[in-house]
Each structure stands twice: as structure tokens, then as C-alpha cells.
Amino acid sequence: MAAGEDWVYRFSEQEIAEIMDAAATLESSGRDIVTTGRDDFLLPKTAATFAGIYEELKNGKGFVQMRGLPIGDISRAR
């Protein structure tokens, strides 16, 4: 692990924008997170990225560090 960072995924600006837009749409819908499904959180451009991350988790190293999401701009609904 120390020799490289092939286990790190850095989200692009386009991916971040799509994730943040989907989150804002979900939040404004008032839908309960417990009843939220795939069809409620559409990521047409970023879906392939998450499929690749899932594949790495399941059949690869078993871990991925994801970087770039602006966590300071995200709130937790209560």
C-alpha cells in the first residue's frame, strides 16, 4: 500500500456535481432515507464509477479510499 495509491479514487468535479445534485434532489423531496432506493438517487454519469468501486471492494483489494467529496458542505438530516 505504501508504494502507491492505486487503492485511492479521486472523484472528478463532474462526478461531485452529479452526486451533490442527486443528494439535493433527494433532500428536497422530503423522502425518508430508509425508504430511498436506487431509482430515487440517479447517477447516470457516475454509476459506472460506483460499479468499479464495488467490484474492487468485492473482488479486488477489498477497500477503496474515496477522495474529493466536499463533506463540509453536506449536512445530516435528522
Side-chain angles (χ1 to χ4, degrees):
M1 282 184 7
E5 288 196 354
D6 60 337
W7 46 274
V8 175
Y9 184 79
R10 289 175 178 81
F11 288 102
S12 71
E13 291 297 320
Q14 182 180 7
E15 290 169 326
I16 292 168
E18 184 176 60
I19 293 166
M20 297 300 286
D21 288 347
T25 298
L26 182 62
E27 184 176 20
S28 68
S29 76
R31 188 171 179 98
D32 187 334
I33 192 72
V34 174
T35 61
T36 298
R38 179 184 297 206
D39 293 337
D40 301 311
F41 201 84
L42 300 176
L43 299 170
K45 298 173 188 162
T46 311
T49 296
F50 282 111
I53 290 170
Y54 174 78
E55 182 65 24
E56 184 64 31
L57 293 172
K58 186 170 172 110
N59 299 310
K61 291 178 186 65
F63 61 94
V64 175
Q65 183 182 59
M66 295 177 276
R67 293 186 184 167
L69 289 176
I71 58 172
D73 297 341
I74 301 170
S75 65
R76 174 179 252 173
R78 299 191 195 264

